[in-house]
Amino acid sequence: MKTSILGLIRLCRPANLPTAMADILAGAAISGLSFGILFEEYFSFNFSLNAFLLVLASVFLYAGGVVLNDVFDLKLDVKERPERPIPRGIVSLRTAAVFGTFLLLSGIIMAFLVNHLAGIVAFVLALTIVLYDAVSKRYEILGPLNMGVCRALNLILGMSIYGEILSWKLAIIPLIYIYAITLISRGEVHGDNKKNIIRAAILYAAVIFLVFITIANTGLKWSALACLGFFAFLIMGSLVKAFRKNSPKNIKKAVITGVLSIIVLDATFVMAYDTWMFGLIVLLLLPVSMLMAKIFAVT
């Protein structure tokens, strides 16, 4: 079988990768990385090497995870998502498995280049990713919880930039948020998941409240509050539409909006802990992600 490069790229879900980058920048900002440290002078864009390595590590880990997800899902995708690269025969199962494993290992190595703590977090994250792909996603409660833990660990990976993790409790926020999105995604193929949407709405409200408390504890910056309002508008608006018309199409849109809005959530963290300028840079990943979502699948 001749493997398509575009097929390998599609397996990596390019539109989702900016959300992984945003997690790292948010975690690093929470741990003390500031706009002034990240950029040497004005907009010269001389990135901190450690921040750059962690961003790459996160992207590789995320990409490896979604590639292996399709490897483990082949039998199901043949029936429900035959348009994906592996069931279409664009990429062989063996090539995808090797590629996904390579990406995960590369991500771990890059994190170890930053410091030992980051490497350990990346290693645990990789194990958690494989656990989700191979086992836990088949279970109604364990699957969403496992996925939430993956995203929480990605934020913690960003926090580990200075070799210590001081605000790990904030990782409960992305854990709850991703748990909610995963609940919504259960109806992506067949629809009819109003109960899960109601549960997700409650979890979304909890996330918004927890982020507001976080902003309050860091000084109630107007930029962070505005960003939180934008985040709430995006996620709740798509959820209401999916509830009113509980079709696979609307559910899929709610899932996509939820995934891409992780960038807005991360930008809110950055604005709360540093400056609106640093947060705006993170927020600008959103249009990049949205543009790629028009070309590549998100879910």
Side-chain angles (χ1 to χ4, degrees), residues 7-194:
L8 290 175
I9 293 172
R10 288 185 180 280
L11 281 176
C12 292
R13 308 281 203 284
N16 300 34
L17 299 182
T19 71
M21 300 177 191
D23 283 346
I24 297 301
L25 294 175
I30 290 168
S31 287
L33 183 70
S34 67
F35 182 84
I37 295 172
L38 189 61
F39 304 108
E40 287 183 359
E41 184 180 8
Y42 297 103
F43 292 95
S44 59
F45 289 93
N46 289 317
F47 281 89
S48 157
L49 179 60
N50 284 349
F52 180 69
L53 285 172
L54 281 184
V55 166
L56 280 183
S58 180
V59 167
F60 274 61
L61 287 166
Y62 192 103
V66 291
V67 169
L68 291 179
N69 179 71
D70 281 14
V71 170
F72 286 105
D73 272 0
L74 177 58
K75 290 183 180 180
L76 182 64
D77 286 346
V78 167
K79 298 177 182 178
E80 295 186 351
R81 297 178 177 90
E83 74 280 358
R84 287 184 171 177
I86 301 176
R88 280 185 64 189
I90 296 173
V91 179
S92 72
L93 184 65
R94 181 180 178 183
T95 298
V98 171
F99 182 51
T101 303
F102 167 77
L103 289 171
L104 284 185
L105 292 175
S106 297
I108 294 170
I109 291 169
M110 288 177 188
F112 267 112
L113 291 175
V114 174
N115 58 60
H116 283 88
L117 180 59
I120 292 169
V121 173
F123 178 73
V124 174
L125 175 53
L127 290 179
T128 310
I129 288 169
V130 174
L131 176 64
Y132 176 81
D133 288 343
V135 180
S136 71
K137 67 183 173 187
R138 297 178 178 85
Y139 297 91
E140 187 174 353
I141 296 176
L142 183 59
L145 180 61
N146 192 161
M147 180 65 84
V149 169
C150 287
R151 186 61 73 162
L153 285 170
N154 202 42
L155 183 67
I156 289 174
L157 181 60
M159 293 179 187
S160 70
I161 189 167
Y162 293 121
E164 57 182 352
I165 301 167
L166 301 177
S167 303
W168 61 269
K169 291 180 182 178
L170 286 176
I172 190 67
I173 295 174
L175 190 157
I176 296 170
Y177 182 62
I178 296 302
Y179 186 97
I181 293 175
T182 310
L183 280 177
I184 300 167
S185 70
R186 297 293 169 135
E188 195 177 336
V189 176
H190 305 292
D192 190 25
N193 72 337
K194 283 193 172 184

Side-chain angles (χ1 to χ4, degrees), residues 15-20 22-23 151 177 227 231 258-269 279 281-290:
N16 300 34
L17 299 182
T19 71
D23 283 346
R151 186 61 73 162
Y177 182 62
C227 203
F231 172 70
V259 171
L260 300 188
S261 294
I262 292 168
I263 294 171
V264 187
L265 175 61
D266 286 330
T268 303
F269 280 130
I281 289 169
V282 176
L283 194 58
L284 287 175
L285 290 171
L286 181 61
V288 174
S289 195
M290 292 173 67

